[in-house]
């Protein structure tokens, strides 16, 4: 079976060395015009740069209260009003972790004021659970771990701390599990807030909810869940969200496959936000003309992040009755890349 070579300008060469070829129906030799690869081209790698430092030499990864508030349901979209309510205003944090010790990988770190990330050893540490005021555990498990009962925490049960689980048969199923995990975290925060409101009438003090997200190592599946939560609830892109989590827990390790999965989830979130905002802008327009029910238009004037085909075709002009596309000039002189070139004969 003869393998087929595909030209690829952006990828390094992985096949045989470039050789001079002479097709049977040609009288003069030809050679490849560029490097060839004998495998399916892979997408570009997602590079997460080192964290930038501010003027004080601290990581410049502060959460700001003016992030996009989509005013949607509590899970799946950035909603500062929900977070401010259920955490009593303690949902913003500044990251100052410049040092990292190897033994800290066995401990859990605080990513957000109400969200911790760590390995199974942290979930089995009664002193940590009591001292940090953890009110719920969220285990992100592989189905093999479920069958072997490797991620159970009897310590949490003895302390009366509920433990929720998100089970997947592999990392590829995480993208479907992210919304479920985000909903579990937010539902617990909401329940703790309602509980505190009911006990405040009797004078009993109640602290906001705190969640520990964990897996076997605390560096892969559970870390991806926390990154997805930051992306969804704080309206951050995948690179910034990874930086935020890694600034507090340096041991997290995402391979290219997991980064691509998080990037896909980021695109899905943005697409959903654009669709809902476009619908609400339309409702606001109808309300202003009396054609639709009145609705709040706050925060609905942001344009989608990507231009649509209709937006591109809006850039046109009418000259002597003929419509001219202004954008076509960019493509007029573009030509395809020739796979072969003539050998220069001496």
């Amino acid at each position: 079976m003869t393998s087929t070579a595909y030209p690829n300008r952006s990828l390094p060469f992985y096949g045989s060395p470039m050789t001079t070829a002479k097709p049977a129906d040609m009288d003069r030799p030809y050679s490849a015009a560029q490097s060839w690869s004998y495998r399916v081209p892979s997408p570009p790698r997602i590079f997460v740069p080192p964290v930038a430092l501010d003027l004080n030499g601290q990581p410049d990864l502060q959460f700001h209260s003016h992030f996009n508030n989509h005013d949607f349901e509590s899970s799946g979209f950035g909603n500062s009003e929900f977070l401010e309510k259920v955490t009593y205003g303690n949902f913003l944090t500044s990251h100052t972790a410049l040092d990292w010790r190897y033994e800290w990988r066995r401990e859990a770190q605080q990513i957000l004021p109400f969200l911790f990330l760590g390995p199974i050893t942290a979930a089995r540490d009664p002193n940590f659970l009591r001292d940090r005021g953890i009110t719920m555990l969220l285990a992100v498990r592989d189905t093999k771990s479920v069958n072997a009962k490797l991620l159970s925490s009897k310590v949490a049960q003895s302390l009366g701390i509920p433990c929720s689980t998100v089970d997947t048969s592999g990392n590829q199923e995480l993208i479907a599990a992210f919304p479920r995990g985000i909903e579990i975290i937010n539902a617990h925060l909401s329940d703790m807030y309602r509980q505190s409101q009911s006990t405040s009438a009797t004078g009993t003090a109640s602290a906001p909810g705190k969640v520990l997200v964990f897996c076997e190592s605390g560096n892969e599946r559970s870390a991806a869940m926390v990154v997805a939560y930051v992306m969804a609830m704080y309206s951050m892109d995948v690179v910034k969200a990874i930086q935020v989590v890694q600034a507090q827990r340096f041991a997290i390790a995402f391979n290219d496959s997991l980064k691509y999965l998080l990037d896909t989830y980021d695109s899905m979130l943005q697409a959903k936000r654009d669709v809902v905002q476009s619908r609400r802008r339309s409702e606001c327009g109808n309300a202003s003309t009396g054609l639709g029910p009145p609705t709040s238009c706050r925060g609905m004037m942001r344009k989608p992040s990507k231009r649509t085909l209709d937006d591109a075709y809006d850039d046109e002009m009418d000259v002597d009755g003929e419509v001219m596309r202004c954008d076509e000039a960019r493509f007029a002189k573009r030509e395809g890349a020739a796979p072969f070139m003539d050998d220069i004969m001496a």
Side-chain angles (χ1 to χ4, degrees):
M1 180 177 179
T2 304
S3 61
T4 303
Y6 298 92
N8 192 327
R9 289 199 241 179
S10 61
L11 296 176
F13 178 73
Y14 289 95
S16 303
M18 188 184 302
T19 58
T20 300
K22 185 176 181 179
D25 57 343
M26 298 293 180
D27 295 331
R28 61 177 184 266
Y30 288 80
S31 60
Q34 53 192 313
S35 298
W36 292 72
S37 173
Y38 287 86
R39 62 174 175 81
V40 177
S42 59
R45 300 190 66 180
I46 299 176
F47 175 67
V48 180
V51 177
L53 303 181
D54 59 19
L55 297 178
N56 298 322
Q58 302 297 329
D60 188 15
L61 285 174
Q62 294 185 358
F63 289 117
H64 301 286
S65 58
H66 61 266
F67 63 83
N68 294 333
N69 186 358
H70 298 280
D71 199 22
F72 302 146
E73 295 297 330
S74 63
S75 61
F77 298 103
N79 193 326
S80 58
E81 292 181 358
F82 168 80
L83 292 174
E84 184 173 8
K85 183 177 181 179
V86 299
T87 63
Y88 298 94
N90 187 25
F91 67 99
L92 304 176
T93 184
S94 59
H95 296 264
T96 58
L98 288 176
D99 298 328
W100 176 261
R101 298 178 183 177
Y102 183 72
E103 57 268 20
W104 288 353
R105 75 192 191 281
R106 301 187 184 94
E107 304 173 3
Q109 283 73 39
Q110 184 179 18
I111 308 301
L112 301 170
F114 56 90
L115 194 62
F116 293 76
L117 170 64
I120 178 62
T121 54
R124 294 173 177 172
D125 185 355
N127 294 327
F128 168 79
L129 298 178
R130 279 194 299 261
D131 295 343
R132 292 293 188 150
I134 302 298
T135 57
M136 189 189 76
L137 303 183
L138 176 59
V140 186
R141 308 182 299 182
D142 188 277
T143 51
K144 296 178 182 178
S145 301
V146 177
N147 298 331
K149 298 181 179 180
L150 296 178
L151 290 184
S152 59
S153 178
K154 296 181 180 179
V155 174
Q157 296 176 2
S158 65
L159 295 176
I161 300 176
C163 184
S164 299
T165 60
V166 173
D167 302 329
T168 63
S169 61
N171 287 348
Q172 292 302 319
E173 292 188 4
L174 278 173
I175 196 168
F178 287 153
R180 188 164 70 254
I182 294 171
E183 178 63 31
I184 291 174
I185 295 173
N186 287 333
H188 176 72
L189 296 177
S190 182
D191 290 343
M192 291 296 296
Y193 174 77
R194 288 196 296 267
Q195 197 174 49
S196 66
Q197 293 298 300
S198 61
T199 57
S200 62
T202 62
T204 305
S206 179
K210 292 185 178 180
V211 181
L212 169 63
V213 184
F214 71 95
C215 60
E216 290 93 335
S217 65
N219 299 331
E220 295 183 10
R221 286 192 301 273
S222 59
M225 180 64 71
V226 173
V227 169
Y229 185 89
V230 173
M231 289 164 53
M233 297 303 297
Y234 290 83
S235 300
M236 288 190 180
D237 60 72
V238 61
V239 173
K240 183 67 176 292
I242 292 176
Q243 287 180 326
V244 165
V245 177
Q246 196 167 40
Q248 296 300 93
R249 182 170 176 80
F250 186 75
I252 66 171
F254 294 153
N255 55 24
D256 288 342
S257 177
L258 205 49
K259 289 180 182 178
Y260 296 146
L261 186 138
L262 287 168
D263 185 58
T264 301
Y265 185 64
D266 185 17
S267 300
M268 292 170 59
L269 287 175
Q270 189 59 55
K272 291 179 180 178
R273 291 165 182 160
D274 288 341
V275 168
V276 174
Q277 289 209 10
S278 177
R279 184 184 305 122
R280 294 198 172 187
R281 282 197 303 269
S282 177
E283 292 175 356
C284 289
N286 292 338
S288 63
T289 58
L291 299 178
T295 182
S296 175
C297 301
R298 179 166 52 90
M300 291 295 109
M301 300 309 295
R302 186 176 64 88
K303 283 284 187 180
S305 60
K306 291 185 178 181
R307 298 180 68 202
T308 64
L309 185 61
D310 292 336
D311 291 334
Y313 280 168
D314 283 341
D315 297 334
E316 60 186 24
M317 62 176 59
D318 191 348
V319 180
D320 296 332
E322 181 180 358
V323 176
M324 300 182 63
R325 306 285 187 188
C326 298
D327 199 43
E328 291 181 353
R330 295 193 297 124
F331 305 97
K333 296 182 179 180
R334 292 192 180 183
E335 299 178 357
F340 294 97
M341 63 181 178
D342 295 339
D343 275 350
I344 300 176
M345 303 300 293

